[in-house]
Amino acid sequence: MSLNLHQDVSMAETDDGAVLLHQRTGRYWQLNPTGVFVLNALLDGRTDEQAADELAARHQLDSDAARRDVSKVVAQLRAAHLLIEAR
């Protein structure tokens, strides 16, 4: 499944991660560097599992922990209506 940011969401990378703005609601969300890494991997077309594997390798994490972290990021972004399935 390919994912995109919602059409009303813009992202600005910062020194310590990124800020997402939902332009219709005016709400902001801040992502830490790990959240940005996961989001960019997903937006580049990688699966949750691929993003988790890359995260685990990059930070020498347990694969199961990385999968839980990726799932949590994806769930939070979806719940906030920031991330949607690509059409």
Side-chain angles (χ1 to χ4, degrees):
M1 146 184 62
S2 182
L3 299 171
N4 287 330
L5 286 177
H6 187 280
Q7 67 183 13
D8 294 328
V9 174
S10 60
M11 180 169 81
E13 294 203 25
T14 64
D15 291 338
D16 59 347
V19 175
L20 300 174
L21 168 64
H22 195 294
Q23 296 170 353
R24 234 182 348 183
T25 66
R27 292 193 64 198
Y28 285 90
W29 287 264
Q30 186 170 2
L31 295 177
N32 65 20
T34 300
V36 173
F37 175 83
V38 170
L39 178 58
N40 284 331
L42 297 171
L43 294 177
D44 287 342
R46 293 194 279 298
T47 65
D48 292 10
E49 187 170 296
Q50 290 169 325
D53 289 343
E54 289 179 34
L55 183 64
R58 182 180 213 188
H59 296 286
Q60 300 174 346
L61 298 173
D62 174 71
S63 293
D64 290 335
R67 283 188 178 85
R68 285 190 302 272
D69 289 347
V70 168
S71 292
K72 185 177 179 181
V73 169
V74 171
Q76 290 173 339
L77 291 173
R78 283 179 178 234
H81 305 287
L82 301 173
L83 195 60
I84 59 172
E85 288 186 38
R87 295 177 189 202

